[in-house]
């Protein structure tokens, strides 16, 4: 009975149900259910009488249910059966034969009875069961309805679900190879990778793949990333990390976190631990011992660095090429000597603020190496002239009779920083002459004892010099600029020059420099005696250089020269105006040889000057430069003219005598016009303006 579908038996219309007779009065055979088909048993088994009774009672209750009366089946015009005594059991769950065959009837079996009861019983078409016998008076027992129309059944069978064709949705990311996914994720920044790892487990595994973390630079987001996440990233990508930059990451200063980093990273090539001041000594030594491929090591400011650390580096890191131990207070130059003698590939040594460089053995070790290309000894107070001479030409070198110069192999130094080595004098610095032909950068800031004689041999023998810093050298004169720098072999290549706080230098020395050094990109002349003439000469030099390469129509000017002239008493607003006017003025491009007949129209300059001057004028200068850089030369020119009128009226207002009231009124009007111009001019959008008063000067 569990497999039997719901049997819908409706009462006969317009006729009351007769009283139910006793089961004994009915000669109804057993009704069986097999494979969802209701049939009859020809042999009446007495043991199944109770089951037959329960079935009849259930059919009677179903027929009297009010829910079936409300189905409202449509009435057909004619009945498919000729007689009115028809019994029909309709399955409500299936519309096809339970045997998988099409059926033309709406029921599994149908019994047709006539009025005289002489018609033989019929079986359902297509049914495998034999014909059932006729039962008279069944209508009096069961309240049945007359089937008035036949329900059309489908003539085809449905395709099984497992055979049915399924439509596949193609996912580009799901079908992409793992290598390509990693390559796509490699374009994300570390912060973006951490955010993307929250999407799913697949993204989590890919975002923490070691191939994406071969270069781990935490200096850009070390303030935002938690210590646990930082340690987790390093552990996940530990074997793959080759470039590790933990500059300023105080999160890893804890002992356990530092040990995690040390155990995870064993293939480092570049390591920067600058700023990790509380890094433990044992942890640092373990890191150095396990990474034998280190090529660049930056330990700036670490208190854990000692001479023992340098000894471990000398024995464990033979591939070391850059070594930075500046401001390491617990070591001296003897540790530097161990590293220099053992690491034969060392080319970059930075040991600022390190003590003990007056040791002759250390200087002799640096001389014998002769592999260094960059040497930074800034702030080494103990460096003496004798030690510097030994570094350059060794101990007791042979002297050339003709030139009176020591015979020694030239040094390979390209960058040398001796700033704030206060014990050095002209005799020691002079030893650099003719021994550093490849020198490109020289910093001698703060050597107050230097004179022109110390720089003459250096400038005459360094044709590749591009950066020269001579700040706070009070004993230099203008002749070193006009006679040596302007006429030196390096003059056409010089790009950076700093003479800040050289109070004895002025226009006499700088004018020849601007005429000869046409490749200058930055000049620092603050707190010197230069005047407006130097500014005008610098503007002419940049304008001449810009005329060679005219600006394309769709491009904007760029800064070609950074000029610093604040705290210069001889620089007035007239010189500043000269620079501003040249920046906004169009130039006529120089005619190329062979095309002299072609006249090129004037165009904005391709290079301008970025000026740092007196703080009271700096706001106007910055606004003018901003307008020129965005291509609005007209607005820049108007600002320059209004500012000039304001400055001129302001000067006139300070003059005593007749007409003083009129000059002061003109100064106030010029100030008002200049303030309006700074706020966008007459056509500026309406809005809240800056508060102004006529009694104070606002730049």
């Amino acid at each position: 009975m569990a497999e039997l579908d719901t049997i819908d038996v409706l009462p006969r219309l317009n006729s009351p149900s007769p009283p139910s007779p006793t089961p004994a009065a009915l000669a109804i055979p057993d009704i069986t259910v097999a494979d969802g088909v209701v049939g009859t048993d020809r042999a009446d088994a007495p043991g199944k009488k109770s089951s037959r009774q329960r079935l009849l009672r259930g059919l009677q209750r179903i027929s009297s249910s009010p829910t079936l009366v409300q189905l409202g089946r449509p009435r057909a015009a004619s009945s498919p059966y000729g007689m009115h005594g028809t019994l029909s059991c309709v399955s409500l769950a299936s519309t096809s034969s339970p045997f998988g065959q099409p059926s033309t009837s709406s029921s599994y079996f149908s019994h047709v009875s006539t009025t005289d009861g002489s018609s033989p019983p019929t079986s359902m078409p297509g049914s495998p069961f034999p014909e059932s016998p006729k039962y008279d008076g069944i209508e009096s027992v069961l309240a049945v309805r007359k089937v008035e129309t036949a329900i059309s059944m489908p003539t085809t069978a449905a395709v099984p679900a497992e055979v049915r064709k399924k439509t596949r949705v193609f996912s580009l990311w799901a079908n992409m190879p793992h290598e390509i996914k990693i390559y796509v994720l490699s374009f994300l920044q570390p912060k973006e990778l951490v955010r993307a790892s929250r999407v799913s487990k697949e993204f989590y595994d890919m975002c923490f793949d070691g191939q994406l973390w071969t270069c781990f630079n935490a200096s850009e987001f070390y303030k935002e990333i938690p210590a646990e996440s930082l340690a987790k990233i390093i552990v996940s990508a530990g074997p793959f990390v080759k470039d590790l930059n933990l500059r300023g990451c105080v999160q890893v200063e804890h002992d356990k976190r530092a040990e995690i980093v040390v155990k995870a990273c064993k293939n480092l090539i570049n390591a920067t631990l600058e700023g990790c001041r509380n890094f433990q000594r044992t942890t640092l030594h373990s890191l150095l011992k396990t990474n034998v491929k280190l090529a660049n090591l930056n330990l700036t400011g670490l208190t854990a660095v000692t001479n023992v650390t340098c000894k471990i580096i000398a024995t464990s890191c033979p591939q070391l090429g850059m070594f930075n131990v500046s401001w390491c207070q617990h070591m001296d130059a003897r540790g530097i000597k161990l590293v220099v003698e053992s690491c034969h590939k060392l080319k970059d040594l930075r040991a600022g603020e390190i003590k003990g460089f007056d040791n002759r053995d250390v200087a002799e070790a640096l001389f014998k190496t002769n592999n260094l290309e960059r040497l930074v000894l800034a702030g080494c107070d103990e460096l003496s002239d004798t030690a510097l001479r030994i570094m350059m030409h060794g101990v007791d070198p042979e002297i050339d009779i003709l030139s009176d110069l020591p015979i020694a192999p030239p040094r390979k130094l390209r960058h040398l920083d001796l700033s704030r080595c206060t014990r050095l004098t002209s005799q020691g610095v002079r030893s650099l002459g003719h021994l550093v032909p490849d020198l490109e950068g020289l910093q001698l800031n703060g050597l107050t004892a230097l004179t022109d004689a110390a720089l003459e041999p250096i400038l005459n023998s360094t044709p590749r010099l591009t950066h020269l810093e001579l700040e706070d050298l009070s004993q230099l004169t203008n002749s070193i600029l006009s006679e040596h720098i302007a006429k030196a072999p390096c003059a056409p290549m010089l790009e950076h020059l700093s003479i800040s706080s050289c109070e004895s230098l002025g226009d006499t020395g700088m004018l020849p420099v601007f005429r000869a050094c046409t490749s200058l990109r930055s000049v620092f002349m603050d707190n010197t005696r230069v005047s407006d003439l130097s500014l005008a000469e610098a503007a002419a030099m940049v304008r001449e250089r810009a005329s060679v390469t005219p600006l394309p129509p769709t491009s904007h000017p760029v800064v070609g020269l950074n000029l610093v002239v604040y705290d210069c008493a001889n620089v007035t607003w007239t010189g500043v105006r000269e620079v501003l006017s040249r920046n906004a003025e169009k130039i006529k491009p120089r005619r190329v040889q062979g095309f002299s007949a072609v006249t090129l129209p004037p165009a904005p300059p391709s290079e301008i000057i970025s000026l740092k001057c007196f703080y009271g004028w700096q706001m106007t200068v910055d606004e003018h430069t901003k307008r020129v850089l965005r291509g609005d030369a007209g607005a820049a020119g108007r600002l320059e003219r209004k500012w000039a009128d304001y400055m001129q009226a302001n000067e006139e207002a300070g003059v005593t005598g007749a007409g003083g009231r009129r000059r002061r009124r003109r100064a106030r009007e010029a100030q008002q016009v200049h303030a309006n111009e700074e706020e966008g001019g007459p056509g500026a959008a309406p809005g809240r303006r800056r508060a102004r008063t006529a009694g104070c000067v606002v730049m």
Side-chain angles (χ1 to χ4, degrees):
M1 294 294 292
E3 298 179 359
L4 180 64
D5 296 333
T6 305
I7 300 177
D8 183 8
V9 182
L10 300 178
R12 186 188 299 271
L13 299 177
N14 301 326
S15 63
S17 300
S20 302
T22 61
L26 298 175
I28 300 177
D30 293 339
I31 300 177
T32 61
V33 180
D35 297 331
V37 180
V38 181
T40 59
D41 293 336
R42 293 186 180 275
D44 190 3
K48 298 182 179 180
K49 184 175 180 180
S50 60
S51 300
R52 181 168 59 252
Q53 291 177 358
R54 286 195 299 270
L55 175 62
L56 293 176
R57 292 194 190 98
L59 294 176
Q60 185 178 6
R61 286 195 300 269
I62 293 174
S63 65
S64 61
S65 176
T67 59
L68 299 177
V69 181
Q70 299 176 2
L71 292 177
R73 295 179 179 272
R75 302 176 65 89
S78 61
S79 176
Y81 305 97
M83 299 301 176
H84 61 279
T86 303
L87 174 63
S88 177
C89 298
V90 183
S91 174
L92 300 179
S94 177
T95 59
S96 60
S97 174
F99 305 100
Q101 299 176 355
S103 175
T104 58
S105 176
S106 62
S107 64
Y108 293 154
F109 62 91
S110 297
H111 300 286
V112 181
S113 63
T114 59
T115 56
D116 55 359
S118 60
S119 300
T122 60
S123 62
M124 180 182 63
S127 174
F129 293 100
E131 296 180 352
S132 301
K134 171 189 174 186
Y135 302 101
D136 296 333
I138 191 68
E139 298 91 341
S140 61
V141 179
L142 301 176
V144 299
R145 67 176 178 84
K146 185 184 295 184
V147 178
E148 300 186 5
T149 181
I151 301 176
S152 61
M153 305 302 295
T155 59
T156 59
V159 179
E162 58 271 9
V163 184
R164 191 179 307 161
K165 185 178 180 181
K166 298 181 180 180
T167 57
R168 296 183 178 180
V169 179
F170 180 77
S171 176
L172 179 61
W173 182 260
N175 292 272
M176 189 179 297
H178 181 74
E179 293 76 9
I180 299 181
K181 293 180 181 179
I182 296 298
Y183 177 74
V184 173
L185 294 176
S186 65
F187 291 94
L188 298 180
Q189 298 297 327
K191 293 174 61 177
E192 298 171 346
L193 283 173
V194 175
R195 293 174 181 173
S197 65
R198 304 177 182 176
V199 175
S200 63
K201 187 177 184 300
E202 179 188 4
F203 268 80
Y204 180 87
D205 296 338
M206 289 189 300
C207 289
F208 286 103
D209 192 294
Q211 301 178 53
L212 299 176
W213 300 95
T214 56
C215 180
F216 184 75
N217 185 3
S219 60
E220 299 178 357
F221 54 88
Y222 70 94
K223 295 182 179 180
E224 303 174 6
I225 186 170
E228 291 75 11
S229 300
L230 182 62
K232 190 174 184 180
I233 292 174
I234 297 177
V235 170
S236 301
F240 295 90
V241 175
K242 296 182 180 180
D243 300 338
L244 180 64
N245 187 354
L246 298 179
R247 181 177 181 180
C249 293
V250 296
Q251 299 95 320
V252 298
E253 294 180 357
H254 193 274
D255 295 345
K256 295 183 179 180
R257 296 167 186 162
E259 291 177 0
I260 291 175
V261 174
V262 171
K263 293 180 180 179
C265 302
K266 296 183 179 180
N267 296 316
L268 293 179
I269 297 178
N270 304 317
T272 299
L273 302 178
E274 180 180 355
C276 302
R277 296 180 298 273
N278 296 330
F279 214 81
Q280 299 298 321
R281 186 171 302 171
T282 56
T283 307
L284 177 61
H285 292 175
S286 300
L287 180 66
L288 297 175
K289 291 178 181 178
T290 55
N291 292 273
V292 297
K293 298 180 181 179
L294 273 174
N296 300 310
L297 183 60
N298 185 357
L299 304 177
T300 304
L302 265 67
T303 57
V305 177
T306 61
N307 291 338
V308 178
T309 307
C310 296
K311 184 177 181 180
I312 295 175
I313 294 173
T315 56
S316 303
C317 305
Q319 307 294 329
L320 193 64
M322 191 278 289
F323 188 43
N324 190 350
V325 287
S326 299
W327 295 287
C328 293
Q329 302 176 359
H330 295 89
M331 64 166 294
D332 55 24
R334 292 176 295 177
I336 300 294
K337 176 177 177 292
L338 296 174
V339 175
V340 169
E341 291 177 345
S342 301
C343 301
H344 302 290
K345 296 185 178 180
L346 186 64
K347 295 183 178 181
D348 190 346
L349 177 60
R350 308 180 188 185
E353 304 286 345
I354 298 297
K355 300 179 180 179
F357 272 100
D358 57 343
N359 193 327
R360 297 172 62 94
D361 296 336
V362 175
E364 188 174 358
L366 292 174
F367 169 75
K368 292 179 180 180
T369 302
N370 198 18
N371 290 327
L372 295 178
E373 296 182 358
R374 180 188 294 271
L375 179 60
V376 178
L377 301 177
C380 296
D381 298 335
E382 298 182 1
L383 180 62
S384 61
D385 295 338
T386 304
L388 183 59
R389 285 196 296 265
I390 294 175
M391 291 180 189
M392 293 298 108
H393 50 69
V395 180
D396 298 330
E398 185 179 355
I399 304 299
D400 189 358
I401 300 176
L402 298 178
S403 61
D404 197 20
L405 296 176
I407 300 176
R411 304 292 94 186
K412 297 181 180 179
L413 287 173
R414 299 175 58 186
H415 301 276
L416 180 61
D417 187 1
L418 300 176
S419 301
R420 302 187 308 279
C421 295
T422 55
R423 293 182 60 182
L424 290 179
T425 62
S426 299
Q427 295 180 358
V429 176
R430 186 182 179 88
S431 62
L432 298 175
H434 305 282
L435 291 176
V436 285
D438 298 331
L439 195 64
E440 297 179 2
L442 179 61
Q443 295 174 263
L444 301 175
N445 304 324
L447 304 183
T448 55
L450 290 187
T451 60
D452 297 349
L455 298 177
E456 291 177 3
I458 300 176
L459 296 174
N460 294 334
S461 60
T462 53
R464 300 181 181 180
L465 190 64
T466 59
H467 288 69
L468 181 60
E469 295 187 7
L470 305 173
E471 296 183 8
D472 199 14
L473 302 183
S474 57
Q475 298 189 24
L476 294 183
T477 62
N478 287 322
S479 62
I480 193 64
L481 298 176
S482 59
E483 299 297 332
H484 298 282
I485 294 180
K487 298 179 180 180
C490 62
M493 301 183 61
L494 192 63
E495 296 181 0
H496 174 77
L497 177 62
S498 177
I499 56 172
S500 300
S501 300
C502 296
E503 299 177 356
S504 59
L505 302 183
D507 295 334
T508 306
M510 287 305 302
L511 291 178
V513 170
F514 281 121
R515 297 191 187 103
C517 304
T518 57
S519 299
L520 284 172
R521 298 294 177 181
S522 58
V523 180
F524 291 83
M525 302 184 297
D526 51 290
N527 196 19
T528 59
R529 295 186 178 183
V530 296
S531 64
D532 300 338
L533 295 177
S534 297
L535 299 184
E537 191 64 36
M541 183 266 293
V542 173
R543 188 176 179 84
E544 179 67 18
R545 190 168 61 191
S547 63
V548 179
T549 57
L551 184 69
T554 58
S555 302
H556 298 301
V558 296
V559 176
L561 176 63
N562 290 287
L563 202 60
V564 179
V565 292
Y566 57 83
D567 293 338
C568 295
N570 297 328
V571 174
T572 64
W573 67 270
T574 306
V576 175
R577 182 194 179 187
E578 178 69 18
V579 174
L580 299 183
S581 62
R582 291 297 183 95
N583 285 345
E585 184 181 357
K586 293 184 178 181
I587 60 176
K588 188 174 182 180
R590 184 186 300 176
R591 295 181 179 180
V592 183
Q593 186 177 2
F595 297 91
S596 57
V598 180
T599 57
L600 298 176
S606 58
E607 299 180 9
I608 64 171
I609 296 178
S610 176
L611 186 64
K612 298 294 181 182
C613 57
F614 177 60
Y615 71 93
W617 309 332
Q618 191 61 47
M619 293 181 62
T620 303
V621 172
D622 292 342
E623 178 64 24
H624 186 277
T625 304
K626 183 172 65 175
R627 296 184 183 185
V628 173
L629 290 177
R630 70 169 180 243
D632 195 354
R638 291 193 299 271
L639 177 62
E640 178 261 322
R641 290 191 296 271
K642 299 299 182 183
W643 181 70
D645 293 342
Y646 162 73
M647 294 299 297
Q648 185 176 3
N650 194 27
E651 287 184 354
E652 292 179 355
V655 179
T656 58
R661 182 180 297 178
R662 181 174 64 256
R663 288 191 295 270
R664 287 191 293 270
R665 184 176 67 252
R666 288 180 55 191
R668 289 194 299 269
E669 293 175 355
Q671 177 184 358
Q672 185 74 15
V673 173
H674 173 63
N676 292 335
E677 184 65 24
E678 281 190 336
E679 293 178 357
R688 190 173 182 179
R689 291 181 176 270
R690 183 177 56 192
R692 297 191 299 265
T693 58
C696 64
V697 177
V698 180
M699 284 294 150

